[in-house]
Amino acid sequence: MHDLLFSPFIEFGFMRRALAGGLALALSGAPVGVFLLLRRMALTGDAMAHAILPGAAIGYLVSGLSLGAMTIGGLAAGCIVAVGAGAVARATSLREDASLAAFYLISLALGVTIVSMRGSSLDLLHVLFGNVLALDDATLVLLASISSLTLLALALLYRPLVLETVDPGFLQNVSRAGAPVQLLFLAIVVMNLVAGFNALGTLLAVGLMMLPAACARLWASRLAGMFAVAVGVALASVYIGLIVSWHAGAPSGPMIILAAGCFYIVSVLFGRAGGIIRRMPARKHLEG
Amino acid sequence: MTDALRFCDLTLGYDRHPAVHHLDGAVPQGDLLAVCGPNGAGKSTLLKAIAGSIPPIGGSIERPAGAAGAIAYLPQAAEVDRSFPIDVFDMVSTGHWRKTGLFGGLSRADRGRIFDCLDAVGLSGLEDRLIGTLSGGQMQRMLFARILLQDAPVILLDEPFTALDANTTGDLIEIVARWHAEGRTVIAVLHDFELVRAHFPTALLLAREVVAWGPAADALSPENLARARRMVEAFDGGADECARAA
């Protein structure tokens, strides 16, 4: 049992790093995911994750697989797409979702092109799916910093962010915080996607945010409960994903997201706050 | 008596299409004013402008009583996301926003005030309920409780009684009457003329411009109402022609 559950982390440094990095990501990504879910921005998160790619790819083009360059590039690209899509939505008849889709499709194609022209297909895989087993010290520090900063920022923005989500009109009436809070929240999302990008890659980074958040919605009916469930599911997914990938020889990043996926399926079936089985008696009652 | 609000040649609209033209006049402090008029007459637009949500295209709104901060505003079918997991107490407590701001806490007295306001709208005992479980009437009572808590000298209500049963409407009218008795200025957009004549001393009949403004019974005379309808229809007629041409 001990061998099965703990020895990979005791014996191998890279497994410990992967665990530490993954837990840091889970800790901040899950609450961000809860807000994305409640603000009906689940797909926005996905789109933003793809939008980061060309920036990271240009960073890669300039200085190879360098953490700093790819992170700065990713942050810049994410912000440009977020602001650009918003500007197009305001200036034209296109809605925000349509302009965001256009921006992220262009970004994804551009990013894949840049990486493929310069690097190997292995590099491309790394960019698309990350490599949580290859986290170096600098990346770990980055993940931990982003995680801490995110939790601090969410704590400070909590009140206006909640009110901006549940009743934006009222917030506008009593305060000027609405627009800056929206922008800061987008910045937090981009920051966490860039962090997730380093470990899970551009295609899966959003998985550790949205899947735990979706589980949380199905178990908890209050906000505090949702945060607790989401963080718990995310942390457990990281551990389970790593341990399964180790024993099964499967890729780690996708296994982490698959573990979260299993939690999601269980939640859809059994969730106490809106799962399928929970809802069935109510229907019978109506028939009777 | 001083004025709570003064409109000077006020023109309002969206995307350069004016919705309210050249409005002049003043709302005295402590007035209980009903804003009436056909659909598309610019009633909601006027309230939004007073609340400060949309800037005037021309002219100005003077608010001698203070900045837009002293105005509580209940929009038409408030855009509350009812699926959000927040309970009634927390939702009403946002009415303390001007006091607490982004970070301030609630004192024991503040919490007491919240319970008092919930009691006043008949929602005692429901403070722990999620807002998604409230009926339409309870929802509107909750939003009235929040306005009570805001304690603003000027209160704007956009169709506050639409789709409510007689019982709820009666209770909420009583609260409006109390605000009036306390000397607050209340401006409400309403469609029910009977209700206006029964409870509102003054009325403003709007059809993109002022048709009548004065004692409710005079302002809402049959002649004035017919004139207001014709004025808005004439405007819409132009829109129809454009649609046919397209």
Side-chain angles (χ1 to χ4, degrees):
Chain A
M1 199 65 178
H2 179 270
D3 282 356
L4 196 68
L5 297 181
F6 302 113
S7 60
F9 299 105
I10 295 169
E11 286 172 32
F12 297 97
F14 70 87
M15 284 296 279
R16 283 200 295 279
R17 289 163 178 282
L19 187 64
L23 294 181
L25 270 181
L27 216 50
S28 66
V32 172
V34 168
F35 274 114
L36 280 173
L37 184 92
L38 291 174
R39 295 171 69 83
R40 292 154 210 246
M41 288 170 64
L43 290 174
T44 308
D46 203 28
M48 294 294 299
H50 300 339
I52 288 170
L53 188 59
I58 290 169
Y60 166 80
L61 197 68
V62 173
S63 51
L65 277 173
S66 132
L67 174 72
M70 287 172 68
T71 299
I72 293 169
L75 281 175
C79 293
I80 288 171
V81 168
V83 172
V88 168
R90 273 190 299 276
T92 69
S93 60
L94 275 185
R95 296 232 182 185
E96 177 113 26
D97 60 334
S99 61
L100 194 63
F103 266 85
Y104 99 73
L105 286 166
I106 295 168
S107 299
L108 188 60
L110 194 65
V112 170
T113 308
I114 294 172
V115 176
S116 312
M117 283 175 64
R118 163 80 184 262
S120 64
S121 59
L122 195 67
D123 289 336
L124 186 62
L125 270 181
H126 179 105
V127 168
L128 289 180
F129 298 105
N131 192 351
V132 69
L133 297 183
L135 299 178
D136 56 17
D137 284 352
T139 315
L140 272 187
V141 169
L142 178 82
L143 294 189
S145 310
I146 287 181
S147 183
S148 312
L149 193 62
T150 299
L151 292 178
L152 188 70
L154 283 182
L156 290 177
L157 292 180
Y158 186 77
R159 189 176 287 171
L161 191 55
V162 165
L163 192 52
E164 217 278 323
T165 308
V166 65
D167 194 356
F170 181 75
L171 182 64
Q172 196 194 10
N173 183 224
V174 296
S175 154
R176 290 172 195 281
V181 162
Q182 272 185 34
L183 275 179
L184 283 172
F185 179 68
L186 267 185
I188 292 174
V189 172
V190 171
M191 212 165 67
N192 277 274
L193 288 171
V194 169
F197 164 82
N198 282 301
L200 299 168
T202 183
L203 292 184
L204 291 178
V206 81
L208 208 46
M209 296 183 187
M210 292 324 305
L211 285 168
C215 294
R217 186 65 162 150
L218 290 162
W219 287 102
S221 52
R222 311 238 161 199
L223 201 49
M226 281 185 72
F227 287 126
V229 174
V231 170
V233 166
L235 292 174
S237 303
V238 168
Y239 175 75
I240 294 170
L242 282 175
I243 206 87
V244 170
S245 83
W246 171 262
H247 291 295
S252 330
M255 284 317 285
I256 292 174
I257 303 305
L258 274 180
C262 291
F263 279 112
Y264 171 72
I265 290 168
V266 170
S267 306
V268 164
L269 290 175
F270 301 105
R272 283 163 38 125
I276 290 173
I277 290 174
R278 186 77 182 179
R279 284 191 165 189
M280 271 168 23
R283 213 170 282 156
K284 266 185 200 151
H285 179 75
L286 282 179
E287 284 164 11
Chain B
M1 199 185 258
T2 49
D3 293 332
L5 294 166
R6 194 173 301 130
F7 310 118
C8 304
D9 195 25
L10 180 68
T11 297
L12 303 166
Y14 305 94
D15 296 333
R16 298 182 181 193
H17 291 293
V20 176
H21 291 276
H22 308 295
L23 182 62
D24 274 302
V27 182
Q29 210 166 352
D31 196 7
L32 178 53
L33 173 70
V35 179
C36 303
N39 289 326
K43 308 180 297 291
S44 299
T45 311
L46 177 61
L47 250 55
K48 276 183 197 152
I50 298 172
S53 322
I54 57 169
I57 295 179
S60 65
I61 304 175
E62 285 174 34
R63 307 180 180 91
I71 296 175
Y73 169 48
L74 178 66
Q76 190 176 351
E79 44 180 1
V80 174
D81 176 0
R82 296 180 62 169
S83 69
F84 193 94
I86 186 171
D87 63 33
V88 170
F89 183 89
D90 285 350
M91 190 70 181
V92 172
S93 72
T94 58
H96 271 314
W97 187 280
R98 290 191 198 289
K99 218 178 199 177
T100 61
L102 298 180
F103 309 116
L106 295 174
S107 68
R108 183 187 279 270
D110 292 337
R111 300 179 64 83
R113 276 277 295 148
I114 295 171
F115 284 111
D116 292 345
C117 293
L118 284 170
D119 194 36
V121 298
L123 288 184
S124 288
L126 295 189
E127 51 269 4
D128 289 335
R129 286 268 294 273
L130 291 171
I131 59 169
T133 66
L134 297 181
S135 69
Q138 288 170 330
M139 188 79 184
Q140 197 71 347
R141 283 169 191 267
M142 180 187 77
L143 295 173
F144 263 69
R146 182 164 72 178
I147 291 181
L148 272 170
L149 194 63
Q150 280 182 273
D151 193 26
V154 178
I155 296 167
L156 310 175
L157 308 168
D158 198 347
E159 300 194 19
F161 310 127
T162 302
L164 298 182
D165 61 24
N167 186 13
T168 308
T169 304
D171 287 356
L172 296 183
I173 288 258
E174 256 175 53
I175 292 175
V176 171
R178 211 172 85 200
W179 284 329
H180 182 51
E182 288 167 354
R184 300 177 202 272
T185 310
V186 181
I187 305 177
V189 170
L190 292 168
H191 279 299
D192 183 342
F193 298 137
E194 286 312 310
L195 193 135
V196 172
R197 289 188 191 107
H199 299 280
F200 285 71
T202 49
L204 162 61
L205 184 58
L206 204 61
R208 294 184 183 273
E209 51 196 287
V210 176
V211 179
W213 190 346
D218 303 341
L220 299 183
S221 67
E223 302 81 58
N224 282 339
L225 291 175
R227 199 153 71 87
R229 228 175 359 254
R230 274 198 308 277
M231 282 164 74
V232 168
E233 273 163 11
F235 195 93
D236 282 349
D240 272 356
E241 239 174 55
C242 293
R244 273 199 298 273

